[in-house]
């Protein structure tokens, strides 16, 4: 067991009548790698602030035996200066007005790792980071020599780094040995056992009630036979009374057992969400497309002469490093700036600021604002994402960033749209909501374009990719894992112009006279890919 670096005893924090957490004891020792998980609003950030000494608990104390460094989640407050080595390692820019979210995150990471604390706390350190930044962070966390407490929605990062998962639920911390995958397996086993115990408890309750009722009925049915003498009647009366007393005694014993039966709580079951993105109104096979598109951010050219298309009913992930132009491309689609949006397309957009939410209104009121769904369906969708019971009446202005994302997602899914565009929807969501959102979008049949640096979410949801690479846009028809496998495989020799032209001629002939079993959509896709390859050959001068 490593040296004790931090110990918390009986720490409690309450906001008004609500107890956020009440933790008897929590320790961090040399070499610990603890992943802290819990639903949005469970109090993870508040707990980290208390442990780091940025906030005093209402009760209890935290003793720090070593310096603590913190990677904050929010951008508020000045960022400490990073060493040149850390700035170089994380490619962290100097302070500026037009830094992207990922660049700001790199600055916070580099500054925290420059402090040299023996305890490192990281609150959602992958927010806005691209895949390269996440890989750099994962390597730094694994090499860290002190104790680590990590809050992250990135399940792959938790699997790579954490050796213990601390679950914060209902104000209490439960420790699970192993990484995130081990935690989820153990949690599912515990929930299954709780469900079995609850079913057994309910069955025993029902059996005891039936037995007690049976004793009442049997006692009431015991009576004297008719037509007998006085002496015989006295004997039977004593026997009847004894039988009735026995039935009542048995009933009382059954009722006593029923009262003393150890109560088992019903495990919480996540409701099924039937809400889907609309599919009506789009008459074209392509929801949006651009040819020769140029994107700029101020004086900087992000991409030039780019082509792309979003097929109707596809789920497309937009990939690329921080600052490459992903959000700019999404805004170009919304504005129709160099992008053709097909007739009948109704776009719903989730931006990172969520400025269209009304902070003075409740979660349910915001979610219902543009709804074409009944209130019951909207409440079910909110519950599936973790906003349950009275929480739907909570003003949005008092909600955490993750809860606000859930409200906005529900509002979009409930509205009359048929093309959903999501800019970093996974940034502030807890791991449970991420899994729920992934399940909903994977089962949905609508058109989706999204940006997310969460690898597992992208792998689960996306059926195709558009990626920024060296100032150009490329496309891949397949999943993230398939794309990574293709990039890691040895490169095949590129076909020459004559071969590409012959293939295009063959496809054109099949498109003009399709044979039985031909799929025109697939033939069109292959033809477009060949056109793109020919264009690339022309640019390279081959």
């Amino acid at each position: 067991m490593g040296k004790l670096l931090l110990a918390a005893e009986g720490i409690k924090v309450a906001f008004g009548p609500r107890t956020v957490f009440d933790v008897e004891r929590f320790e961090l020792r040399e070499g610990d790698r603890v992943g802290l998980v819990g639903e949005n609003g469970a109090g993870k950030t508040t707990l980290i602030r208390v442990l780091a000494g940025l906030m005093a608990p209402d009760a209890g104390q935290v003793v720090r035996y070593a310096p603590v460094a913190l990677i904050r989640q929010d951008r508020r407050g000045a960022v400490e200066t990073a060493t040149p080595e850390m700035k170089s390692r994380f490619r962290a820019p100097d302070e500026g007005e037009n830094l992207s979210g990922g660049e700001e995150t790199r600055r916070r990471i580099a500054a925290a790792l420059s402090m040299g604390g023996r305890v490192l706390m990281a609150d959602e350190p992958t927010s806005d980071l691209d895949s390269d930044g996440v890989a750099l962070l994962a390597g730094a966390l694994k090499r860290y020599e002190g104790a680590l407490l990590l809050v992250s929605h990135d399940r792959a990062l938790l699997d790579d780094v954490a050796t213990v998962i601390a679950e914060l639920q209902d104000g209490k911390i439960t420790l699970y040995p192993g990484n995130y995958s081990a935690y989820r397996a153990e949690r599912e086993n515990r929930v299954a056992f709780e469900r079995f115990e609850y079913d057994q408890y309910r069955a025993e309750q029902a059996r005891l009630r039936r037995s007690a009722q049976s004793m009442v009925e049997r006692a009431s049915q015991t009576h004297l036979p008719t037509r007998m003498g006085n002496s015989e009647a006295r004997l039977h009366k004593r026997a009847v009374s004894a039988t009735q007393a026995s039935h009542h005694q048995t009933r009382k014993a059954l009722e006593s057992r029923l009262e003393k039966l150890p109560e088992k709580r019903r495990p919480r079951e996540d409701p099924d969400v039937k809400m889907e993105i609309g599919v009506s109104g789009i008459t074209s096979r392509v929801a949006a497309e651009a040819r020769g598109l140029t994107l700029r951010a101020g004086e900087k050219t992000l991409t030039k002469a780019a082509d792309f298309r979003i097929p109707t009913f596809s789920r497309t992930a937009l990939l690329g490093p921080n600052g490459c132009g992903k959000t700019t491309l999404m805004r170009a689609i919304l504005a129709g700036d160099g992008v053709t949006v097909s007739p009948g397309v109704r776009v719903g957009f989730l931006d990172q600021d969520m400025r269209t939410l009304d902070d003075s209104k409740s979660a349910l009121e915001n979610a219902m604002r543009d709804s074409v769904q009944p209130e019951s369906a909207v409440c079910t969708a909110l519950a599936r994402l973790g906003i349950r019971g009275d929480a739907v009446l909570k003003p949005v202005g008092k909600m955490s960033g993750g809860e606000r994302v859930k409200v906005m997602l529900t509002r979009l899914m409930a509205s009359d749209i048929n093309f959903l565009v999501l800019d970093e929807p996974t940034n502030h969501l807890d791991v449970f909501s991420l899994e729920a959102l992934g399940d909903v979008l994977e089962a949905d049949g609508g058109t989706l374009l999204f940006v997310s640096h969460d690898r597992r979410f992208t792998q689960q949801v996306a059926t195709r990719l558009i990626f920024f690479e060296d100032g150009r846009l490329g496309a891949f028809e397949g999943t993230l894992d398939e794309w990574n496998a293709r990039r890691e495989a040895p490169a095949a020799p590129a076909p020459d112009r004559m071969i590409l032209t012959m293939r295009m001629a063959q496809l054109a002939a099949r498109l003009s006279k399709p044979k039985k079993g031909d799929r025109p959509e697939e033939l069109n896709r292959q033809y477009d890919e060949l056109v793109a390859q020919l264009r690339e050959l022309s640019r390279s001068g081959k």
Side-chain angles (χ1 to χ4, degrees):
M1 185 176 291
K3 179 182 177 182
L4 183 63
L5 300 180
L6 181 146
E9 290 278 359
I11 55 173
K12 180 178 179 179
V13 169
F15 295 152
R18 174 178 170 251
T19 297
V20 180
F21 57 77
D22 187 356
V23 178
E24 292 182 7
R25 184 166 180 83
F26 181 75
E27 295 180 349
L28 285 174
R29 294 179 175 273
E30 193 89 35
D32 283 350
R33 298 288 184 272
V34 181
L36 178 62
V37 301
E39 293 185 343
N40 291 125
K44 300 186 296 295
T45 294
T46 303
L47 177 59
I48 275 194
R49 286 175 56 81
V50 168
L51 294 176
L54 301 180
M55 176 180 174
D58 296 328
Q61 64 175 350
V62 180
V63 181
R64 302 168 196 87
Y65 300 99
V68 175
L70 172 64
I71 303 173
R72 300 193 319 271
Q73 177 181 173
D74 59 74
R75 304 183 190 184
R76 291 172 295 184
V79 176
E80 298 291 334
T81 303
T83 63
E85 178 191 354
M86 284 298 173
K87 286 180 65 176
S88 174
R89 179 185 300 180
F90 285 93
R91 294 193 286 280
D94 294 324
E95 185 176 3
E97 294 182 359
N98 295 317
L99 297 182
S100 69
E103 290 170 328
E104 291 278 7
T105 300
R106 287 173 183 264
R107 291 185 69 235
R108 294 197 297 273
I109 292 171
L113 290 175
S114 297
M115 295 176 63
R118 299 299 295 165
V119 176
L120 176 64
M121 299 183 187
D123 190 5
E124 295 292 1
T126 62
S127 292
D128 300 309
L129 274 187
D130 54 28
S131 56
D132 179 56
V134 172
L136 287 171
L137 175 65
L141 296 182
K142 285 191 281 189
R143 291 190 302 269
Y144 193 76
E145 294 181 356
L148 170 67
L149 179 61
L150 169 66
V151 175
S152 179
H153 62 261
D154 191 320
R155 293 158 286 178
L157 181 66
L158 289 170
D159 268 346
D160 288 345
V161 174
T163 57
V164 174
I165 297 296
E167 180 190 63
L168 182 59
Q169 185 179 40
D170 299 328
K172 304 295 182 183
I173 287 181
T174 305
L175 299 179
Y176 294 79
N179 61 11
Y180 180 78
S181 293
Y183 153 73
R184 286 300 285 169
E186 177 60 22
R187 192 172 187 268
E188 288 172 8
N189 289 337
R190 292 190 188 188
V191 170
F193 183 69
E194 287 174 3
R195 189 178 299 114
F196 168 77
E197 282 195 318
Y198 178 76
D199 290 343
Q200 293 292 101
Y201 162 71
R202 295 289 291 172
E204 181 64 6
Q205 263 190 332
R207 187 188 71 80
L208 291 174
R209 288 195 179 105
R210 286 196 305 269
S211 298
Q213 181 62 30
S214 176
M215 290 300 103
V216 172
E217 293 171 358
R218 290 172 68 177
S220 65
Q221 292 169 2
T222 304
H223 51 80
L224 289 172
T226 57
R227 298 179 183 179
M228 63 176 60
N230 290 336
S231 59
E232 189 178 9
R234 283 194 297 273
L235 291 173
H236 275 282
K237 186 175 181 180
R238 285 197 294 270
V240 167
S241 297
T243 301
Q244 288 177 334
S246 174
H247 289 332
H248 285 305
Q249 187 175 3
T250 302
R251 174 183 59 79
K252 289 180 179 178
L254 289 168
E255 289 175 345
S256 177
R257 286 177 59 189
L258 184 60
E259 290 175 0
K260 295 177 181 178
L261 192 65
E263 185 177 357
K264 301 293 181 182
R265 285 184 7 181
R266 181 176 186 173
R268 190 176 70 202
E269 302 286 349
D270 291 325
D272 291 329
V273 179
K274 303 299 182 184
M275 203 176 294
E276 296 181 345
I277 307 170
V279 296
S280 64
I282 306 180
T283 57
S284 171
R285 290 182 300 177
V286 177
E289 64 178 333
R291 296 187 181 278
L293 176 67
T294 297
L295 294 176
R296 293 186 177 88
E299 299 297 322
K300 181 182 178 182
T301 298
L302 302 172
T303 187
K304 196 173 182 180
D307 299 344
F308 77 88
R309 64 188 179 92
I310 310 294
T312 304
F313 309 135
S314 67
R315 300 196 300 270
T316 305
L318 190 56
L319 307 180
N322 292 133
C324 68
K326 299 185 293 294
T327 297
T328 305
L329 176 59
M330 286 186 161
R331 294 193 181 281
I333 293 174
L334 294 173
D337 187 7
V339 179
T340 302
V341 177
S342 297
V345 170
R346 301 181 298 278
V347 181
F349 180 52
L350 173 75
D351 65 4
Q352 296 185 40
D353 296 326
M354 292 169 288
R355 289 184 292 266
T356 58
L357 291 176
D358 187 336
D359 287 352
S360 66
K361 293 187 176 180
S362 70
L364 182 58
E365 288 173 318
N366 272 281
M368 287 291 297
R369 197 183 84 171
D370 305 313
S371 180
V372 294
Q373 302 283 347
E375 185 175 302
S376 59
V378 174
C379 285
T380 299
L382 287 170
R384 184 67 179 92
L385 292 175
I387 300 178
R388 307 178 180 89
D390 291 341
V392 301
L393 305 178
K394 182 178 179 181
V396 165
K398 295 183 179 180
M399 288 185 153
S400 68
E403 290 172 318
R404 292 170 66 87
V405 171
K406 295 173 186 181
V407 173
M408 192 66 196
L409 280 167
T410 305
R411 179 166 127 189
L412 290 172
M413 295 285 286
S415 64
D416 186 26
I417 62 168
N418 50 26
F419 183 12
L420 186 58
V421 180
L422 307 176
D423 190 6
E424 294 287 5
T426 60
N427 256 357
H428 302 289
L429 291 183
D430 58 70
V431 288
F432 313 118
S433 300
L434 262 179
E435 291 171 357
L437 178 61
D439 291 341
V440 170
L441 294 178
E442 185 182 17
D444 183 74
T447 307
L448 172 67
L449 174 67
F450 69 94
V451 172
S452 174
H453 296 303
D454 188 288
R455 292 163 283 178
R456 292 195 181 174
F457 180 82
T458 301
Q459 169 57 27
Q460 178 184 5
V461 175
T463 56
R464 64 189 300 274
L465 313 172
I466 292 176
F467 51 89
F468 284 82
E469 198 168 61
D470 299 325
R472 297 178 181 176
L473 283 179
F476 178 77
E477 304 297 327
T479 66
L480 180 63
D481 282 352
E482 291 169 344
W483 184 55
N484 287 330
R486 175 77 63 87
R487 290 196 300 169
E488 292 168 3
D496 61 24
R497 188 179 300 274
M498 182 177 294
I499 293 175
L500 291 175
T501 305
M502 290 174 61
R503 288 180 183 173
M504 287 176 64
Q506 291 171 351
L507 285 172
R510 290 176 64 183
L511 281 166
S512 62
K513 292 184 178 180
K515 297 180 180 179
K516 185 177 181 181
D518 277 345
R519 294 171 53 200
E521 308 87 20
E522 178 62 20
L523 296 178
N524 267 314
R525 184 188 67 79
Q526 293 178 23
Y527 190 90
D528 289 344
E529 285 186 353
L530 293 175
V531 169
Q533 291 182 52
L534 266 179
R535 189 177 291 115
E536 186 64 29
L537 285 177
S538 298
R539 286 173 180 162
S540 60
K542 295 180 181 179

